Amino acid sequence: MQTPEQRLLSEEDIRTRVVAVWLADHGFAAESISVEFSFEIRLGRGILRVGSNEPVRSPVFRPRADIVVRSCDGRNLLIVEVKAPGEPLDESAKEQGISYARLLRVGGIAPFVVLTNGNETRIYDSISGELIDDIQVPTNHPYAQNGFRVTADDLALRSEALETFISLSPDNLIEFCRIQVSERMRPLRSDDLHSGKKYIPQLYIERTEARKELHKHLGDENRRVVILAGEPQVGKTNFACRTVEQKLEEGIPCLFYPAIGIQKGLLEEIQEDFEWIIHENGSLHQIVSKLNRVLKRVGQKLIIFIDGWNEASQELARAIDKGSERLACDEIQIVISFTNVAASRLLLDDLGNPSYVADATAINKTAIPLFEVAPEKLGKTCSVVEIQKYDNEEIDRAYEIYANAYNVEIPSTHVKVSDPLVLRIGIEICNGKELPLVLDEPELLGQIIQLKAQRVVNLHQDTVTTLLIELADEMFLADAPISQSRVRKKWEISATQDLPIGLFESALLAKVFSNQKLPSIDFYYGRERDFLIAYLVRNWLQRLLEKPESICSELYHAIATRVGLESLHWFLRQPSHLNHLRAVSSTFHSLDEASAKTLILSAIRRNPLCFSSKEDWINKIIEQAIADENMLVRVEAAKLIAEQSEDEEWLASILVDEKDLEKFITKLLETDEEYPLEIGGVGQVILDAFKRFGTELCFDDPYESDTTPALINLLNSYSSSLRRSAAKVLGYTAPRALLDEVSKQLVSGKIDLNKEFIEGIKLAISTLFEDYFGSFGCPGSLEALSDTPDELRQEYINLYGVSKHIATFYHSEKCINDLLRLLQKIWELVHEAYECRDKDQILALQLPPPSSCFTLDPEYVLHVYGYRQLSLPIDGLDIKTGT
């Protein structure tokens, strides 16, 4: 048997005791009203259904029934919110009811809100928020006399209601975020395995290391912006989409914006989603202040994800950067993804200075070119998470998940691939069949385009292919994207007709915006565009095997646009096009465009057959590239050599003798003029190249590198710039060798009072710190010596022997403090290894403390260095004891 309280909460009880009586007193007949126990409210672009079966989740208030009452002509009359018996009709309940009344999707604003818990009833004016004294609305109330119609500023009220609603509790904010993410992610996400969309949750492969790295960056309160970077179509969008969904499940508010769908700017898109500011004259400052106010009220932080920044036009990219600067704060973090090859375009402003995103992620101006050529070399201080192709563990997991999803059998002799897009396309095409032994990317792209073309409704497959070829041709000539008006003209479609929707639903094309903010068209996947250009537009299978002059002409034609350059690079790096790469490379010596040369070198480096088949022609190309006048060409050559340095025979075939080696080294050192040899810049590619192939290049002693003696010889070069550059490379690759040589020259009096070697010494000290003590979880060399005190002691004595002369000569340089700290650390480790417990034991070791570097005989200092020794207070050291 129901208690009075339980009966009070029944739907019939609400109708008869709350709604019917109230409305009858205002002249409404029973047949002229509609009582609905579920209704929809508009949250930004999305819709949330509220009802007794789907209550808003909230730890603060738990509505038992939310009801909308409408007149027979569809006007909203009132919102009724029923609370549990004894539950207070508090301010939160009132604010929620008023928010519902103002945000109703259809029927306009409901002018009244009724709250009841069975024992108490309150009626509020949903416009003013004021309590109406009587339990019934007076018949002379303005809204009652106006037919229960609201005459206030509708937009202003809805804006205030939205802010109130999402501020009421974290759950309301999360609900809003879910709706926003669902709407914005729609062009990218699908649960249909055959949709072709970029993000299909069932096929997602977890990127464990990238996930940890992003979590670390987001957990740092000082990191307001984080970059997700990587090559095209390696899974950046997948990673971003899955991360957003996971964060929302964890109760962390997130917003999601694909750059491809941003029309005006980031702040303007947020304005549209939140429906704020329209009534406040479009003040962008107020967007930020209101957003911060909401987050502070709910005690939450917000992460805004921007996907595919490189897909935005140049003007929109600048607007996104400025919007990020206005938004990023203690309450808001930005995660933005783009392909690394677009780094210069995105991270440098119109004056060539680092953009806000570059500054916020600790990427300085010299590091931006490095971002493009070798993003993995960016320092750990940069807020960058790199998404790469699948590693071995991810490959196995991807094959298992994809094969199960598409019911595909994997032969034991199949050659597995690490490219996410190639694997997914290959398995989708083989749906229900057996996977071939080798996945040929061009063949697969041709097949998937035809498969998608078959799925386009109301268009014949051949017609679809023709339209795509025409669009690809236009992009090759004019770059992407192409304005819709131009596409209509090309396809002979009038302005009154819709573009074929099937081309977009099948994930062949995407609607974007141009630099002029014009509605435009681009390919959904860049590699499908590249395939069409290479095979069906330019016919490179034939053209790139013609006479050298014809090849050069086609090459220059291709690099004239970004789309052409990307397409040719894709074509040449395919294993099946090795002959075409060889033919194009034969023109290398006659090319006068650096971009064409770097394209060829990059394609050689990326084509897996170039080195597995021991192609002799590559040696000639590298010899020409090493001697090229353009610095970037030499950088690309160094990178190519470094990546293949483990092949000693191949290296020896390029650098036949010491003369070739010295010439090669000299050419690489000359890049220091334009791309400084330093950590975090393009010059780091050269430094790492020396470190990588230095241990392989050896003509006499297989256990010693010949690059070190060659570099030491260059320390005595007639050219001061070569001496300076050689010191940098030695400091990075062979720090002890540099310190030994500098110390010898100091003792012999060969060095004048100059600073040529100081940059190399700085690099040497930094490298020694890492070599001795390790970094990022990797142990250093001193860990192995901790069990052999005598060897550790000798290591200290050797380093002290070369350091004392350097510390004295370069006494005014800041890096000398670092050198003495290094000595101090090792000095302490020696005493720990010998388990010295008191001063007598320490003295018994007869180990000079680091501070004694400055206790050389004054007459000796005057004779060798030409000045009297100074008394120097070294930071952090006790000069008397060295501790």
Side-chain angles (χ1 to χ4, degrees):
M1 187 176 192
Q2 288 183 326
T3 65
E5 291 81 4
Q6 288 173 323
R7 285 196 301 273
L8 176 67
L9 296 180
S10 71
E11 294 183 8
E12 185 59 31
D13 193 53
I14 292 170
R15 286 193 186 94
T16 57
R17 296 182 58 184
V18 178
V19 177
V21 174
W22 192 89
L23 291 173
D25 289 340
H26 289 80
F28 287 91
E31 61 271 15
S32 67
I33 63 172
S34 172
V35 180
E36 300 177 16
F37 282 81
S38 66
F39 54 89
E40 293 176 342
I41 63 173
R42 179 168 289 282
L43 293 183
R45 293 186 174 188
I47 297 166
L48 174 65
R49 175 166 291 278
V50 180
S52 57
N53 295 324
E54 297 181 58
V56 173
R57 295 178 294 275
S58 172
V60 178
F61 51 91
R62 298 175 177 80
R64 300 300 181 89
D66 297 294
I67 305 158
V68 63
V69 181
R70 293 191 174 97
S71 64
C72 59
D73 60 1
R75 281 176 293 133
N76 293 320
L77 304 176
L78 64 147
I79 286 287
V80 181
E81 185 164 329
V82 181
K83 312 300 287 184
E87 188 172 351
L89 305 180
D90 55 17
E91 189 69 17
S92 294
K94 167 194 166 184
E95 288 185 349
Q96 176 170 278
I98 291 175
S99 298
Y100 283 167
R102 295 179 180 180
L103 294 173
L104 286 169
R105 182 187 174 205
V106 294
I109 295 177
F112 299 104
V113 173
V114 178
L115 302 183
T116 181
N117 60 10
N119 301 316
E120 182 184 4
T121 300
R122 295 180 185 176
I123 303 174
Y124 292 95
D125 182 328
S126 63
I127 306 306
S128 66
E130 294 179 356
L131 175 68
I132 297 174
D133 292 337
D134 299 325
I135 62 171
Q136 297 179 359
V137 176
T139 55
N140 62 351
H141 192 283
Y143 300 155
Q145 291 183 337
N146 196 40
F148 283 76
R149 290 182 176 87
V150 174
T151 57
D153 182 347
D154 184 87
L155 289 176
L157 290 170
R158 290 179 182 275
S159 170
E160 183 181 339
L162 179 60
E163 180 181 350
T164 300
F165 178 79
I166 64 176
S167 299
L168 285 172
S169 78
D171 281 351
N172 286 354
L173 176 58
I174 290 294
E175 196 67 49
F176 174 86
C177 290
R178 283 198 182 98
I179 292 172
Q180 189 275 346
V181 167
S182 177
E183 286 292 315
R184 292 286 185 168
M185 204 177 281
R186 187 171 296 167
L188 305 172
R189 186 190 191 281
S190 176
D191 292 319
D192 180 3
L193 292 173
H194 302 285
S195 66
K197 294 295 180 69
K198 292 183 178 180
Y199 176 50
I200 299 178
Q202 186 180 344
L203 300 179
Y204 181 73
I205 309 302
E206 185 60 66
R207 302 299 190 92
T208 305
E209 292 305 316
R211 175 84 52 215
K212 291 178 181 177
E213 192 71 13
L214 179 61
H215 179 75
K216 182 183 73 173
H217 287 313
L218 291 176
D220 185 344
E221 294 182 355
N222 296 319
R223 307 268 185 177
R224 294 187 173 179
V225 181
V226 181
I227 289 173
L228 298 179
E231 296 180 8
Q233 285 103 51
V234 294
K236 297 183 296 298
T237 295
N238 268 265
F239 181 79
C241 290
R242 173 52 66 92
T243 301
V244 169
E245 292 183 343
Q246 288 179 338
K247 293 291 183 185
L248 288 175
E249 287 302 313
E250 295 168 5
I252 300 173
C254 296
L255 300 178
F256 182 80
Y257 292 95
I260 197 173
I262 294 179
Q263 182 177 358
K264 304 170 186 176
L266 182 57
L267 291 174
E268 291 80 358
E269 297 294 327
I270 291 177
Q271 168 186 323
E272 185 174 342
D273 281 343
F274 280 75
E275 291 186 350
W276 293 356
I277 311 312
I278 299 178
H279 64 290
E280 295 183 356
N281 301 320
S283 168
L284 296 180
H285 170 73
Q286 301 229 4
I287 297 176
V288 179
S289 62
K290 282 200 170 189
L291 192 53
N292 286 335
R293 187 162 64 237
V294 167
L295 294 169
K296 287 178 180 178
R297 281 189 65 178
V298 296
Q300 290 275 53
K301 291 190 175 183
L302 174 71
I303 307 174
I304 300 177
F305 286 77
I306 305 166
D307 181 59
W309 190 22
N310 54 287
E311 296 176 0
S313 65
Q314 191 65 16
E315 184 178 352
L316 286 175
R318 294 281 182 267
I320 290 172
D321 184 74
K322 291 179 180 177
S324 299
E325 183 174 10
R326 291 197 179 198
L327 284 165
C329 59
D330 291 342
E331 283 76 31
I332 301 174
Q333 291 178 299
I334 309 287
V335 178
I336 188 165
S337 73
F338 58 88
T339 56
N340 53 284
V341 294
S344 292
R345 179 173 76 87
L346 299 173
L347 299 180
L348 291 174
D349 63 20
D350 295 330
L351 299 177
N353 298 315
S355 65
Y356 168 74
V357 171
D359 284 335
T361 52
I363 300 175
N364 60 37
K365 188 173 182 178
T366 59
I368 291 174
L370 178 66
F371 201 129
E372 292 189 335
V373 299
E376 71 279 0
K377 297 186 186 299
L378 290 172
K380 295 293 183 179
T381 57
C382 298
S383 305
V384 177
V385 177
E386 188 181 8
I387 308 297
Q388 301 177 330
K389 292 181 179 180
Y390 293 145
D391 60 27
N392 292 335
E393 184 178 337
E394 292 164 350
I395 289 172
D396 292 338
R397 193 159 60 244
Y399 268 87
E400 180 182 358
I401 291 174
Y402 286 15
N404 289 335
Y406 291 97
N407 191 28
V408 171
E409 184 179 345
I410 311 295
S412 59
T413 53
H414 170 78
V415 180
K416 292 186 176 182
V417 297
S418 61
D419 190 303
L421 183 63
V422 172
L423 174 57
R424 177 176 157 182
I425 293 174
I427 291 191
E428 181 179 353
I429 289 173
C430 296
N431 185 27
K433 304 174 185 177
E434 183 179 87
L435 205 62
L437 300 184
V438 177
L439 295 179
D440 181 71
E441 183 176 338
E443 181 182 350
L444 293 176
L445 287 170
Q447 292 178 17
I448 198 66
I449 291 172
Q450 291 304 312
L451 187 60
K452 290 181 179 181
Q454 293 172 11
R455 297 171 184 164
V456 176
V457 296
N458 301 326
L459 281 180
H460 191 273
Q461 178 181 341
D462 293 342
T463 302
V464 173
T465 303
T466 300
L467 295 178
L468 295 176
I469 291 173
E470 290 179 351
L471 184 62
D473 186 22
E474 191 75 9
M475 288 182 177
F476 179 81
L477 298 173
D479 243 330
I482 304 297
S483 68
Q484 288 192 22
S485 60
R486 195 166 176 176
V487 172
R488 289 178 182 278
K489 186 176 181 179
K490 191 83 173 176
W491 289 350
E492 298 180 352
I493 297 175
S494 70
T496 59
Q497 293 178 282
D498 291 331
L499 292 170
I501 191 172
L503 294 173
F504 306 98
E505 291 178 340
S506 61
L508 281 166
L509 301 179
K511 294 180 179 180
V512 297
F513 295 94
S514 68
N515 275 333
Q516 294 74 35
K517 299 183 180 179
L518 298 174
S520 302
I521 304 296
D522 202 347
F523 279 85
Y524 193 83
Y525 286 106
R527 276 193 256 182
E528 292 180 1
R529 175 205 67 196
D530 297 340
F531 170 85
L532 289 167
I533 289 174
Y535 280 80
L536 303 179
V537 174
R538 304 306 301 177
N539 188 22
W540 283 334
L541 280 176
Q542 179 178 339
R543 287 189 180 185
L544 296 183
L545 293 178
E546 295 176 352
K547 294 180 180 179
E549 53 269 24
S550 299
I551 294 175
C552 285
S553 175
E554 186 63 26
L555 188 56
Y556 286 133
H557 204 35
I559 65 174
T561 62
R562 175 185 57 83
V563 168
L565 190 146
E566 290 177 357
S567 300
L568 183 57
H569 188 266
W570 171 83
F571 180 83
L572 294 177
R573 70 175 187 252
Q574 300 304 316
S576 55
H577 301 152
L578 182 61
N579 288 336
H580 299 80
L581 178 56
R582 184 187 295 111
V584 171
S585 299
S586 68
T587 67
F588 190 92
H589 67 284
S590 62
L591 298 174
D592 53 14
E593 288 284 344
S595 58
K597 294 180 179 180
T598 55
L599 181 147
I600 291 173
L601 291 168
S602 177
I604 291 173
R605 182 168 54 85
R606 298 283 299 279
N607 192 312
L609 290 187
C610 282
F611 294 92
S612 62
S613 57
K614 308 295 183 183
E615 297 286 327
D616 293 336
W617 55 272
I618 297 176
N619 297 2
K620 295 180 180 179
I621 299 299
I622 293 177
E623 289 173 4
Q624 295 169 16
I626 291 171
D628 197 88
E629 295 180 356
N630 186 274
M631 302 294 185
L632 274 181
V633 174
R634 277 181 261 169
V635 169
E636 192 64 43
K639 191 174 180 182
L640 194 161
I641 293 174
E643 291 194 6
Q644 301 300 324
S645 63
E646 294 179 2
D647 189 339
E648 296 181 26
E649 293 182 5
W650 177 77
L651 277 173
S653 68
I654 295 178
L655 307 171
V656 178
D657 53 29
E658 287 86 346
K659 185 176 292 187
D660 286 335
L661 176 61
E662 187 169 332
K663 182 179 178 182
F664 167 63
I665 289 175
T666 300
K667 282 295 183 182
L668 289 185
L669 292 180
E670 288 174 356
T671 61
D672 192 22
E673 298 173 13
E674 188 171 346
Y675 300 103
L677 297 173
E678 60 187 20
I679 306 301
V682 171
Q684 188 176 339
V685 175
I686 301 294
L687 292 174
D688 286 333
F690 271 109
K691 179 173 282 189
R692 185 165 179 177
F693 61 68
T695 56
E696 307 295 341
L697 289 172
C698 180
F699 301 109
D700 299 317
D701 186 347
Y703 300 104
E704 183 178 333
S705 165
D706 270 6
T707 57
T708 299
L711 287 165
I712 290 175
N713 287 337
L714 288 172
L715 291 179
N716 300 301
S717 170
Y718 66 90
S719 167
S720 62
S721 62
L722 275 180
R723 294 196 297 269
R724 184 180 299 108
S725 302
K728 289 183 183 181
V729 174
L730 273 172
Y732 188 74
T733 62
R736 283 293 300 274
L738 174 66
L739 298 182
D740 285 344
E741 183 62 23
V742 172
S743 179
K744 289 177 184 177
Q745 292 198 25
L746 284 169
V747 172
S748 64
K750 289 184 179 180
I751 295 183
D752 296 326
L753 290 174
N754 57 55
K755 306 295 183 181
E756 285 180 1
F757 295 158
I758 192 62
E759 292 301 320
I761 292 172
K762 289 178 182 178
L763 278 171
I765 296 168
S766 175
T767 304
L768 282 173
F769 260 109
E770 186 171 338
D771 288 348
Y772 280 141
F773 299 102
S775 62
F776 310 115
C778 298
S781 60
L782 292 186
E783 184 173 313
L785 294 177
S786 60
D787 295 329
T788 54
D790 290 344
E791 293 183 24
L792 185 60
R793 180 176 180 273
Q794 189 59 48
E795 184 70 24
Y796 174 83
I797 291 173
N798 292 341
L799 182 60
Y800 174 89
V802 298
S803 297
K804 61 183 180 181
H805 300 288
I806 293 171
T808 302
F809 182 78
Y810 291 104
H811 65 276
S812 62
E813 297 293 335
K814 292 182 179 179
C815 65
I816 298 307
N817 274 327
D818 295 327
L819 178 59
L820 295 183
R821 287 192 183 94
L822 176 62
L823 286 167
Q824 178 72 16
K825 281 180 171 287
I826 303 175
W827 189 84
E828 292 171 354
L829 286 175
V830 173
H831 292 101
E832 289 177 10
Y834 280 103
E835 298 183 350
C836 296
R837 298 286 184 258
D838 54 41
K839 187 175 181 179
D840 291 338
Q841 289 177 310
I842 293 175
L843 294 174
L845 283 178
Q846 297 182 342
L847 207 63
S851 58
S852 63
C853 282
F854 293 98
T855 58
L856 297 179
D857 179 73
E859 295 305 319
Y860 173 80
V861 173
L862 179 63
H863 171 71
V864 174
Y865 305 115
Y867 60 83
R868 292 286 181 183
Q869 181 191 349
L870 303 177
S871 176
L872 300 174
I874 303 300
D875 294 343
L877 293 177
D878 184 323
I879 299 301
K880 294 181 179 179
T881 64
T883 59

